[in-house]
Structure formats: C-alpha cells, structure tokens
Amino acid sequence: MKRSEVDKSKLSPMMLKYLEIKEKYNDTIIFYRLGDFYEMFFEDAILCSRELELTLTGRNAGLDERVPMCGIPHHAYLSYLEKLVDKGYKVAICEQLTDPKTSKGIVERDVIQVVTKGTVIDDTLSEKDFNYIGNIYDFDYCYGISYTDITTGYFYVLLLEYDKEKVIKEINNRNIKEIIVNDKIDREIISVLKENYHILVTVSDSIYSGSDYEYIVSDLQDIRMSTTIMHLLNYILETKKGDMSHLQKAEIVDLHKYLLFDSHTKRNLELTETLRQKERTYSLLWLLDKTKTAMGSRFLKYSIENPLTSSIEINRRYDIVETLLTEFILKNDLQNLLDEIYDLERLSGRISYGNLNARDLLQLKKSLKVLPDIKKLLEEIKFYRSIDTFEELYDLLEVSINEDAPFSIREGGIIKDGYDNELDELRKIRSGSRDFILQIEQEERARTGIKNLKLGYNKVFGYYIEISKGNIPLVKDEFNYERKQTLANCERFITPELKEKENIILGAEEKIIELEYRIFMNIREKVKTYITDIQKTSKTIALVDMLVSFATVSEENNYIRPSLSSDKKIEIKEARHPVVEKVIKSEFVPNDIIMNNGVDILLITGPNMAGKSTYMRTLAIIIIMAQIGSFVPAKSCNISIFDKIFTRIGASDDLVSGDSTFMVEMKEANNAISEATENSLILFDELGRGTATYDGMSLAQSILEYVHDKIKAKTLFSTHYHELTALSGDLKRLRNVHVSAIEEEGKITFLHKVKMGAVDKSYGIHVASLAKLPKEVINRANEILEFYETKNKKKNGFKQIELPLEPEEHKCSNDILIERLNKINPLEITPIQAINILYELKQISDKK
C-alpha cells in the first residue's frame, strides 16, 4: 500500500498527522515516535524492513486494510539510524512534544532534527576524523564552495574557476560526505558526485537571510563567498533545527598557503590509509599519530592532507619539536597532561546544540582542570601561542555537578548539595519523609503485633503495607487498613496517613527532578558563553598535541630537523621511507636523493622489486613531513618549499568511469604537466607501460622533454625503457640513476641501493623466477629473450630524434623494389656484388 493510494477521509487522526509531516519530508525516512517505539509506515516501512532486516507488520489506521509498519525501540534507535545514514538515506526524528499523560486528544508531534551523512552529531562518529558537509554554488561564471564539520564548528570557503572537473576534484579531495547544490548547476556534476563518489547530493536554492549567524561571514569581503556560506547554512539550520552558534567564523581557503595534491596522490603515497586494505594501519598517519587527544589526531590528519608552504610557520614548528626533544622531561609531563583532556571541540558543539548531559560537563571540568599546568609548560618551552585556563568556569562546574551524575538529565541526581537553596530544602523534605516511612513501619508492627509487616512502593498505587497470608487474620477493623491488592502469598493495604505522607514525598521528588533540570539548563547557558574561547584554546591544544607527537616519533625513529632552502634544490643524505622502515623485518637500505640547481629530472632504471617506487615515494613523503613541521627520516635534509605534488604510481583501471589503465595514466600525466610549476614535484612510475612498447616509449620521451624544457619541475621518472637513458646527452638537466642488483649463477639479489648511471637490463625473467613460475616457462622466456637481444645487437643506439615526414609523392611504392631490398644483407656482400645490385635496383626503378 502506498501513501498516494490512501483515502485520507478514512484515516485515524494519528495517521493523518503522520501524513501531514511526511509530505514536508518526502525524500526522508520518518522515525515517528509512538510511546516507547519509533514507527515507520507505508513506503518507509517497506524500505526499513529491507535495509534494517526488521519484521514488516501492519497497523489499523481506519482503512479496510492495515497499513505497512515496522518499528524499533526508541532507546536503541542510534544503531539503526547509523545504518540508514551510512547507506545514504536521510532520517527525520519525529518526537512527542507533549506529555501523553497530560495531553487532551492526540499527542503533539513534530520533527526535531533530520540526520544525514554530513549532519551526524552523536557519538557514532570516529573521533579521529572530520565529518564534512559542504555545498557548491553555481554563479554562472565561477563556483563557490564552502564546507563545515558541524561537530567541531570549523567553517571553510573558497572560489573556483568555472570548470566542472576541477570542482568535482576539489569536493573529492576534501572528503566531503554530503553536498548541497543550487538548481542551476550542471546535472553532470550531480551525477558524478552521486554515482562515482557516493556523495549524498541535495538540490536547494534557499539562502539563510537571518541575522543570528552573520558573525560567520563578518570577516569576508567577497559577497560570493558570503552567499555560498549562507546557502549551506540554510540547509544545516533546516536540518538540525537547533542552536548552531558554535559554528566558527569562516576561514578562506588560500590554496597558495598549502602544498597541494589530489586524492590519487594521497592514495598512491598511502598518507592516511593503505592502498589495498583501505585501513589507517601502516599509513603515514598511523606512523605519526602518537597524539593524546581526539583534537590532536584530527588536526594531524588535516595537516598531512594540507601541508604548509610558509617557511616561517614551518620553522616555528621545528623549533618547538627541537625544544621538546631537548627538554624530554617537559615533553613527558605535557603528554601526561594532554592525556587528561577530552574532545573540547565536539563538547563545544554538544553544549551549543543542546544534546549534552551531565557527564559531558564532567568531561569538560576534568579537561579544564589541567589547563593551568599545560599553560605553564607552554611558557617554559616558549610556545608561540597562549591558552586560556577558564578558572571561573572550572569553579562553577566543580561546585554544581555531581561526580556520579546519571546519564539522563531527567532523573535527578545531577546537582550537588549546597549549590541551590531551594533544591536543598526539597531534598530535606524528601529525606525526612523517607525516615518517617520507616518510622511508620516500626509503629505499625508494634500496634498490630504483626512482626513481618513491611512497607513497600510501586508506581501503580504508591506506598503500601504488605502482610503475609498467614497473618491476615490478625488484621482488625480498628487498624483502618484498606485492602488494595491480593497476591498469592500476601495482601497489600493502604491507610489515610500513609497516602498523606506519600503525597508529600512524591511531590518533593517531582519538584526536585524538575528543579534539577532547570538548574542544569541554566548552567549549560552559562557554559555556552565560553564556547568561542574554548574553541580557540582547543585549536592550540590540537597543535601542541601534534608537535609533541612529532617529537615522540622523531625520538623513537632517529629523525632529523630539515633545513629549508630558498634555492631550488633537493639534498637528502641517507633518506629512508618512514613506514617501510618501521614494518619490514630486514634492515632498511637508505639512499641519497640529490637534485641540485643543475638537475631537474632523475631517470631511474633497474629491476622490478628493486625499490624504484619506494625511492620515489620516500622523497614525496619526506617533503610532506617536512612541510607539516615534522622531523624527517634521513641523515641530513636540505630542501626547498614545494607548491604541488603529482604522482603516477601503480597500474589500475578506473572501473567507475570506465577508463583503462592507459587512459588513467594519460589523465594523471596530463594533470601533472598542465598544472605543475617549477616549484612542483612530479613522480612518474613507468609511465607509458599501459600501451604498446613503441607508443609508450615515444610518449615517455615526449613527456620527459616537455617537463625538461617547459615546466622545469623536480621530477623522478622510473622506466623499463632503457633506450630513454640516452636522453641524458641532450637533456642537460636530466641525470640517470639506477637501483642496483647482483646476478650470480642465474639468481638475482636486490641491493636496494640507488647509484649514478643507467642499466640496460630489467631482470624481469629473474623476478618471474622468484615468483615460482614453472621452470618450463622461465626457460622458454630466456630463449625468446636471447633471440630478441641478438636481433637488436646491431641496431643503432637510441637518441633524441625528430622524424620529418616525406611528401606522399616521394614515397617508393614499388613492391618488387622493396622485396629485393629486404633480401640484401650489406655485411655479407662484396664491393663488386654491391655495384651489380645497385645497377639492378636502378633498372627496376627506371621501369616504374
């Protein structure tokens, strides 16, 4: 049964209300609160029963047929919600807004929030990652992009040129989970984001026009940026339906301030997750993350994805890491204190939005407690930013919130004795009344002579006197007992005096719970006034935590401080790949990477598995580590600041877009040579292998020449086309290097050492032998290889060439002449034979 098929005139009032709400949220699953359950109806019920594996039932709603229904317990809804959101659905939480006990007629209900991929704000999120929601605003001549993590309040904005591919790449690079677009946007962009990258996309033209959140754009001068932000903000406010005042002032993303690379490079270098397993373990992030706070861990990931280009800020970070390595006792003290700090950024979001509890405030208090000690340590190491210590806020939380406060804020037990006079009075009344209840029990036992008489309580009829079956004959009329309940082994009674005292006790209990809730909300409002300052301190704490982590990793792994040069050079002695070094069982072989002002390209040859790709990745990772402020794995390191990194490493088809391996290679190569500058780093690993040998070799040479002559970027180019090594004679800033190996008795040993010069052998068959291919296959491959090597021995060496095309009319088309020429071997004929053959060929030509 579908909603569109229903005769609304027959529906029950409750179901009419449901349909009224559902019509406002057509593209959203409604969790409709009924008592202790969230229920789903009609199409929502059918969908949820399938996606959540729930039993599909039905509900009477005034129609002849029961409407489809399924439900989940309200106290356990989060796990179901998470599953639906992960699958890309929007879910609206529709709550009871009035108490069923006091409501006349149907209970008032409405949506209190909509939960989507980008607007999740509960504890199901990973504490070590951001959760970005963003938008694209099409201005007809450029795109505005803004994005925010509503759990932390960070807000970013930038403008991009009017290029569909670039705007899609930017969204993908920044790992934005959900996108809002205005209606005029090209539908191809929506399709690619949805189908290729599984991003939730919503089309909306609405722009926020209120004044409550103007502070977010108060520092922006460009009206386009403000419009972009207000477009996203409108969606967030409509979705969350709560106070979002923790959202911070928008920060303009200046791409020139960061070392740029795309998602392919991030994946190829395994910066935040591994290529095959898609896991954090064994990535660069895994290696560097010795942080103690969730904020520090998130900031570390952000920094790896956004390295700096400011030598001033980078050197500031180096100075602190160096100080921490020297003052190792201070470093250890700082680590211990940081370990006491909870996630202040997300706590700020919960305080603002209102979904916090007393335990959140206790976490805040424990975090604030250590800030004065952290501030002293930062002053000792001469840290270049300061933090607030919030003594007044700490004192407020210390005197107000119970250490063992319950999770719920509607059950009492939150506020400490002595904080509020009225609350203390009510607690005295409650305590005295309870003592009186015990006194009544003793008096009744004495008055009746029934020694096992007990006083009890339940929610159905309050306090009662319980007497066992054997003592029922002892109950007399003058006791004024009123029978209330008969059980198998006892009977329960009430008295007027007991009911009078019950009213006092229960009245005090209700007042206490209500008063504690009001006091808690007042405390929350006071805490909200500190949010902006807490967020500023959180940023500093995150930076400190990251730098302490750098110091720890540097100490453990013997990293050194890089030197940043204004010259365009790379001088790294004994460079090591930080992750490979950490995980391999054998000893890592370090290598020098030297590219001074006279060298722009290293052409790397050598066997498969010898370490060419590792050598290339090592350089890129050392540069990224250096530009986030970390020490690096080397004996010495002197490098310039890079603006972009481009990689083409590994062979893979793009199954989503339908591109072959070779097409992916060419697209990534085009991206590099189109956008690289002389301050960029390019890594090409065996470019051109995805097509025929001579096609690939020709393209490889052409690209090398273009990079050498036009771009002048620092480039590492590994290849199995040994003919390309001859280019060093013509390309003055190209140098040949090779990864060495030793062949003994048909067996190969990889030395993993990079040396100057070229090799002319790839050892491919030896590698195949190591992979234990059948011996028959290996032997036959050696025979074929020997044939080709013999055939090519007398060929001229490869060189940089230009091939002029002859006019069509000058081409010889005589099949007989060509056939005769092909039969001649100049090395096997005498001079007289040569003259005779020449005369013969002249006659054939004249006849034509």
Side-chain angles (χ1 to χ4, degrees):
M1 181 188 299
K2 296 181 179 178
R3 285 182 292 125
S4 57
E5 302 169 349
V6 169
D7 182 355
K8 293 184 180 180
S9 64
K10 296 181 179 180
L11 285 175
S12 64
M14 185 279 292
M15 192 56 67
L16 273 174
K17 182 63 178 177
Y18 167 81
L19 289 180
E20 178 187 328
I21 293 172
K22 179 64 181 175
E23 284 170 6
K24 298 176 185 176
Y25 298 92
N26 264 318
D27 63 342
T28 306
I29 297 169
I30 305 286
F31 277 15
Y32 197 71
R33 181 73 178 271
L34 291 174
D36 290 335
F37 283 82
Y38 286 116
E39 307 285 7
M40 287 71 77
F41 302 106
F42 297 104
E43 293 92 339
D44 284 0
I46 295 169
L47 186 151
C48 288
S49 67
R50 181 182 72 245
E51 296 288 5
L52 301 176
E53 299 180 1
L54 300 174
T55 302
L56 184 66
T57 60
R59 183 183 181 92
N60 292 322
L63 304 174
D64 297 335
E65 184 181 347
R66 286 156 61 91
V67 302
M69 182 191 81
C70 66
I72 54 176
H74 85 278
H75 63 274
Y77 81 99
L78 275 178
S79 60
Y80 297 100
L81 176 67
E82 185 182 0
K83 286 180 183 178
L84 290 173
V85 170
D86 280 346
K87 293 182 178 185
Y89 296 106
K90 298 179 181 180
V91 180
I93 309 298
C94 184
E95 279 290 355
Q96 297 173 169
L97 303 182
T98 55
D99 190 338
K101 295 176 183 176
T102 59
S103 296
K104 295 180 179 179
I106 65 169
V107 176
E108 186 180 346
R109 295 180 177 87
D110 206 351
V111 171
I112 60 166
Q113 67 165 317
V114 179
V115 184
T116 62
K117 269 189 177 182
T119 60
V120 177
I121 204 168
D122 54 46
D123 294 333
T124 59
L125 288 173
S126 167
E127 65 172 16
K128 295 191 173 185
D129 205 355
F130 290 101
N131 190 55
Y132 288 129
I133 180 173
N135 72 323
I136 306 171
Y137 200 89
D138 188 334
F139 287 102
D140 286 326
Y141 59 91
C142 75
Y143 293 112
I145 294 178
S146 68
Y147 58 101
T148 181
D149 179 347
I150 65 171
T151 66
T152 63
Y154 288 114
F155 222 126
Y156 304 96
V157 64
L158 68 154
L159 297 176
L160 280 184
E161 60 187 278
Y162 209 56
D163 183 312
K164 288 188 290 187
E165 288 191 7
K166 286 187 178 179
V167 77
I168 291 170
K169 186 170 76 172
E170 196 66 37
I171 296 299
N172 187 36
N173 288 349
R174 298 186 181 279
N175 197 27
I176 300 174
K177 305 288 179 61
E178 181 177 0
I179 285 291
I180 319 305
V181 298
N182 57 334
D183 190 53
K184 67 172 64 173
I185 202 164
D186 191 317
R187 281 338 191 232
E188 184 185 347
I189 294 175
I190 297 177
S191 176
V192 171
L193 292 176
K194 279 184 173 181
E195 303 301 326
N196 293 14
Y197 300 111
H198 309 294
I199 295 173
L200 179 63
V201 181
T202 301
V203 180
S204 172
D205 281 337
S206 301
I207 295 175
Y208 177 72
S209 57
S211 58
D212 291 345
Y213 297 92
E214 283 184 348
Y215 71 91
I216 295 176
V217 298
S218 59
D219 292 344
L220 303 179
Q221 304 300 318
D222 195 318
I223 188 64
R224 296 171 298 178
M225 290 184 174
S226 298
T227 301
T228 301
I229 287 172
M230 291 306 181
H231 176 241
L232 174 58
L233 186 60
N234 188 81
Y235 177 84
I236 292 171
L237 295 175
E238 283 188 350
T239 302
K240 299 313 294 177
K241 296 181 179 294
D243 185 353
M244 305 298 291
S245 58
H246 68 288
L247 294 176
Q248 302 180 41
K249 283 187 176 183
E251 177 185 331
I252 299 173
V253 179
D254 183 351
L255 298 178
H256 296 99
K257 291 182 178 179
Y258 303 101
L259 168 60
L260 304 179
F261 44 79
D262 62 15
S263 58
H264 298 292
T265 296
K266 185 169 75 172
R267 196 162 54 245
N268 287 334
L269 296 177
E270 299 185 307
L271 297 182
T272 59
E273 64 180 22
T274 55
L275 201 56
R276 290 190 177 182
Q277 302 298 325
K278 309 292 183 189
E279 292 178 352
R280 183 186 177 104
T281 305
Y282 303 136
S283 67
L284 178 63
L285 176 60
W286 162 80
L287 177 77
L288 295 180
D289 194 357
K290 303 291 184 180
T291 57
K292 296 296 183 180
T293 69
M295 301 171 293
S297 185
R298 287 195 300 269
F299 185 65
L300 172 60
K301 182 177 182 183
Y302 174 84
S303 297
I304 290 173
E305 294 177 337
N306 299 275
L308 304 174
T309 56
S310 166
S311 60
I312 295 173
E313 178 62 25
I314 294 170
N315 274 306
R316 276 180 175 175
R317 294 182 179 184
Y318 290 161
D319 291 342
I320 298 301
V321 174
E322 195 165 54
T323 301
L324 290 169
L325 284 170
T326 305
E327 303 288 347
F328 55 89
I329 295 177
L330 293 181
K331 177 179 76 72
N332 291 339
D333 291 344
L334 200 49
Q335 274 183 313
N336 292 333
L337 291 171
L338 289 169
D339 206 22
E340 298 294 319
I341 293 183
Y342 289 86
D343 195 340
L344 293 176
E345 288 176 341
R346 287 189 171 166
L347 280 174
S348 297
R350 291 168 68 84
I351 291 165
S352 171
Y353 187 62
N355 62 332
L356 84 162
N357 55 46
R359 293 181 187 178
D360 292 326
L361 291 185
L362 289 173
Q363 288 183 359
L364 177 60
K365 187 187 79 170
K366 290 174 183 176
S367 302
L368 299 182
K369 184 178 182 179
V370 299
L371 290 185
D373 292 332
I374 289 177
K375 184 173 184 176
K376 287 179 185 176
L377 288 175
L378 295 184
E379 289 170 353
E380 285 192 56
I381 64 172
K382 295 181 172 58
F383 195 69
Y384 52 97
R385 293 186 193 171
S386 63
I387 62 171
D388 290 329
T389 51
F390 306 100
E391 283 92 347
E392 290 184 4
L393 177 56
Y394 174 80
D395 291 341
L396 168 65
L397 298 176
E398 172 66 16
V399 300
S400 61
I401 306 297
N402 259 328
E403 297 297 335
D404 57 349
F407 186 81
S408 171
I409 60 175
R410 295 277 190 178
E411 295 178 2
I414 297 174
I415 307 302
K416 283 184 175 180
D417 290 336
Y419 180 72
D420 183 88
N421 291 332
E422 184 183 354
L423 181 61
D424 290 343
E425 287 298 320
L426 286 170
R427 283 175 173 168
K428 285 180 182 177
I429 293 172
R430 181 181 63 183
S431 176
S433 298
R434 284 178 176 170
D435 292 341
F436 187 72
I437 291 292
L438 293 175
Q439 184 182 339
I440 290 177
E441 184 179 77
Q442 293 171 357
E443 289 175 352
E444 288 300 307
R445 284 178 179 176
R447 184 166 73 95
T448 62
I450 303 172
K451 293 182 179 180
N452 65 352
L453 177 149
K454 293 189 298 185
L455 258 69
Y457 173 83
N458 66 30
K459 291 183 178 181
V460 178
F461 46 82
Y463 286 99
Y464 55 81
I465 295 169
E466 183 176 287
I467 297 174
S468 63
K469 285 283 188 184
N471 287 319
I472 293 298
L474 299 177
V475 177
K476 301 176 181 177
D477 291 342
E478 59 263 29
F479 294 168
N480 290 324
Y481 282 10
E482 179 185 339
R483 184 177 279 104
K484 199 69 181 175
Q485 188 178 27
T486 299
L487 301 176
N489 59 350
C490 67
E491 291 197 19
R492 291 172 176 173
F493 303 85
I494 61 172
T495 68
E497 184 184 20
L498 194 58
K499 295 309 292 181
E500 180 183 346
K501 210 61 183 176
E502 176 188 297
N503 291 334
I504 296 173
I505 295 170
L506 296 183
E509 190 71 42
E510 288 177 6
K511 287 178 181 178
I512 286 170
I513 291 173
E514 182 59 32
L515 182 55
E516 284 203 56
Y517 177 75
R518 289 205 313 269
I519 293 170
F520 178 81
M521 298 308 286
N522 288 336
I523 293 170
R524 193 199 82 178
E525 290 304 310
K526 291 177 183 177
V527 174
K528 277 176 70 173
T529 63
Y530 291 90
I531 284 179
T532 301
D533 293 326
I534 291 173
Q535 288 173 328
K536 288 178 183 176
T537 292
S538 299
K539 289 180 180 179
T540 303
I541 293 294
L543 174 59
V544 170
D545 196 13
M546 182 181 77
L547 297 181
V548 173
S549 180
F550 288 165
T552 302
V553 174
S554 298
E555 187 177 32
E556 290 176 355
N557 301 295
N558 194 28
Y559 295 168
I560 55 95
R561 176 174 180 159
S563 174
L564 301 179
S565 170
S566 56
D567 297 330
K568 187 186 167 191
K569 66 165 69 171
I570 297 173
E571 293 177 351
I572 308 175
K573 295 285 189 179
E574 297 186 16
R576 315 185 307 270
H577 190 296
V579 179
V580 175
E581 173 190 47
K582 195 75 174 174
V583 299
I584 62 170
K585 296 178 181 178
S586 57
E587 186 176 349
F588 187 89
V589 179
N591 278 295
D592 296 346
I593 307 174
I594 309 296
M595 300 177 76
N596 56 31
N597 292 331
V599 178
D600 286 339
I601 301 174
L602 291 184
L603 186 63
I604 309 168
T605 49
N608 287 314
M609 293 176 59
K612 298 191 298 295
S613 297
T614 300
Y615 182 73
M616 298 168 76
R617 285 186 172 100
T618 297
L619 174 59
I621 287 177
I622 284 178
I623 288 169
I624 289 169
M625 288 176 68
Q627 291 188 217
I628 64 176
S630 171
F631 284 17
V632 300
K635 186 175 182 180
S636 66
C637 177
N638 185 9
I639 56 174
S640 55
I641 298 286
F642 287 83
D643 63 356
K644 299 173 185 176
I645 296 178
F646 302 91
T647 64
R648 173 55 207 165
I649 299 175
S652 61
D653 295 348
D654 188 342
L655 299 178
V656 174
S657 63
D659 289 342
S660 66
T661 298
F662 183 63
M663 178 57 78
V664 172
E665 279 191 69
M666 291 302 101
K667 282 186 173 181
E668 292 185 10
N670 177 60
N671 182 45
I673 63 178
S674 299
E675 297 187 22
T677 72
E678 64 177 12
N679 296 317
S680 300
L681 174 69
I682 300 175
L683 306 180
F684 283 151
D685 189 14
E686 298 184 30
L687 191 69
R689 63 181 165 184
T691 186
T693 301
Y694 290 109
D695 277 355
M697 191 160 56
S698 303
L699 281 164
Q701 177 182 337
S702 179
I703 289 171
L704 277 169
E705 291 172 2
Y706 187 87
V707 171
H708 181 276
D709 298 336
K710 304 288 185 184
I711 303 175
K712 300 180 175 61
K714 295 295 185 189
T715 303
L716 269 58
F717 194 110
S718 74
T719 185
H720 282 294
Y721 299 137
H722 301 115
E723 295 87 345
L724 293 177
T725 57
L727 288 172
S728 61
D730 295 293
L731 304 182
K732 302 304 180 186
R733 292 188 302 280
L734 181 147
R735 297 289 183 274
N736 287 313
V737 297
H738 69 278
V739 187
S740 55
I742 297 175
E743 183 184 355
E744 294 177 327
E745 299 178 357
K747 294 184 179 180
I748 187 171
T749 303
F750 300 119
L751 301 180
H752 304 294
K753 199 70 180 174
V754 176
K755 299 180 179 179
M756 294 301 294
V759 294
D760 59 359
K761 193 170 184 180
S762 67
Y763 301 96
I765 294 175
H766 295 82
V767 174
S769 179
L770 290 175
K772 299 188 176 170
L773 262 67
K775 191 171 182 181
E776 183 180 350
V777 173
I778 300 298
N779 292 339
R780 177 58 180 154
N782 276 314
E783 290 174 9
I784 297 169
L785 176 63
E786 185 178 352
F787 169 78
Y788 281 119
E789 287 181 338
T790 303
K791 182 178 179 182
N792 291 327
K793 269 181 185 176
K794 297 169 186 175
K795 287 189 177 181
N796 292 330
F798 188 81
K799 63 181 181 179
Q800 187 177 12
I801 56 172
E802 294 182 3
L803 298 176
L805 297 176
E806 293 184 6
E808 191 67 31
E809 59 266 40
H810 291 158
K811 289 183 179 179
C812 178
S813 59
N814 192 313
D815 294 339
I816 299 172
L817 188 64
I818 294 171
E819 184 180 351
R820 184 73 180 92
L821 282 168
N822 285 337
K823 291 180 180 179
I824 299 169
N825 186 345
L827 299 178
E828 296 177 354
I829 60 176
T830 65
I832 295 297
Q833 287 175 320
I835 293 172
N836 290 335
I837 291 171
L838 183 61
Y839 179 77
E840 176 187 349
L841 295 175
K842 182 70 169 62
Q843 284 184 318
I844 294 171
S845 178
D846 288 343
K847 287 179 182 179
K848 286 301 291 181

